[in-house]
Amino acid sequence: DENTLNDFTVNFDNEWSLNSSNKLEFGLSRKQYNTNFKKNTFPKEKTYQGVLNSVYFQDRWKYKPVMEIIYGMRISDFSLLDKVYLEPRISFTYLFTDYVTLMGSVDKYTQFLHRFSNDFMIGGRKFVWLLSNDPLEPISSNQINLGIQYNDINISSEITAFKRDF
């Protein structure tokens, strides 16, 4: 058997400096996924195509030299589903000293590509790539991160805790 996945992506990313403390970032993305599954016992191969169109914007706001907050939104539309997906996000970094930084984020993500595992298959490929569709919902996750980083000329170390619901 044979299972292939092709991903053709075009991005258009922009930055616009509003002033010394705000930089607006925005862009468009178009991904075309093609999956192809062929098995010796099937009379013909199965091909699936899906297009993911996304637009995003975010603001990088610097408060003095010690703090930066990034907040924004990604809006996505997947051709095999009849729904618009909103993915808000916000993150921050706070410089305690020249070497110690506190950082955190709250994000929402949506995944339209799935790697299906068939533990009952005898022979052939165990993993198959599938695209989200009406019976196969995309995977959405919400994630919260909080961490502290130490960074000097000799060593870089980071401890991060996160919680992810999906």
Side-chain angles (χ1 to χ4, degrees):
D1 64 358
E2 184 178 319
N3 179 231
T4 59
L5 166 68
N6 294 310
D7 175 349
F8 179 72
T9 303
V10 176
N11 290 325
F12 180 66
D13 298 316
N14 298 283
E15 291 182 2
W16 182 21
S17 292
L18 300 174
N19 53 45
S20 62
S21 61
N22 286 84
K23 185 189 317 181
L24 188 62
E25 299 172 341
F26 56 97
L28 306 167
S29 175
R30 181 176 175 92
K31 288 180 170 279
Q32 180 169 336
Y33 296 112
N34 297 313
T35 62
N36 187 11
F37 183 73
K38 182 171 46 174
K39 188 161 178 70
N40 294 338
T41 58
F42 289 165
K44 64 179 185 174
E45 58 189 62
K46 297 280 188 179
T47 301
Y48 299 96
Q49 295 181 352
V51 176
L52 175 62
N53 292 308
S54 300
V55 60
Y56 77 92
F57 58 91
Q58 66 183 23
D59 182 30
R60 285 184 179 270
W61 177 57
K62 287 195 181 223
Y63 179 71
K64 300 188 179 180
V66 296
M67 187 166 177
E68 181 180 55
I69 297 175
I70 304 170
Y71 56 93
M73 174 79 71
R74 176 177 296 276
I75 303 166
S76 299
D77 172 58
F78 190 60
S79 64
L80 301 178
L81 299 167
D82 197 24
K83 185 178 175 185
V84 174
Y85 295 87
L86 303 177
E87 299 170 308
R89 51 200 65 187
I90 187 168
S91 65
F92 76 92
T93 56
Y94 183 81
L95 190 62
F96 278 117
T97 70
D98 289 342
Y99 306 114
V100 179
T101 304
L102 178 68
M103 55 200 162
S105 67
V106 177
D107 310 283
K108 181 172 184 169
Y109 299 98
T110 306
Q111 177 74 33
F112 299 94
L113 185 62
H114 307 271
R115 188 174 138 185
F116 175 70
S117 173
N118 187 351
D119 293 331
F120 302 106
M121 185 176 279
I122 300 173
R125 299 221 185 262
K126 184 177 177 178
F127 300 104
V128 178
W129 291 105
L130 301 172
L131 299 176
S132 293
N133 53 50
D134 279 333
L136 183 59
E137 291 287 322
I139 297 172
S140 290
S141 66
N142 297 307
Q143 184 167 311
I144 299 171
N145 296 297
L146 185 60
I148 192 160
Q149 181 180 50
Y150 179 84
N151 212 358
D152 70 18
I153 196 167
N154 297 316
I155 190 169
S156 179
S157 183
E158 180 180 324
I159 297 174
T160 303
F162 72 93
K163 180 179 189 283
R164 181 182 305 155
D165 294 320
F166 59 95

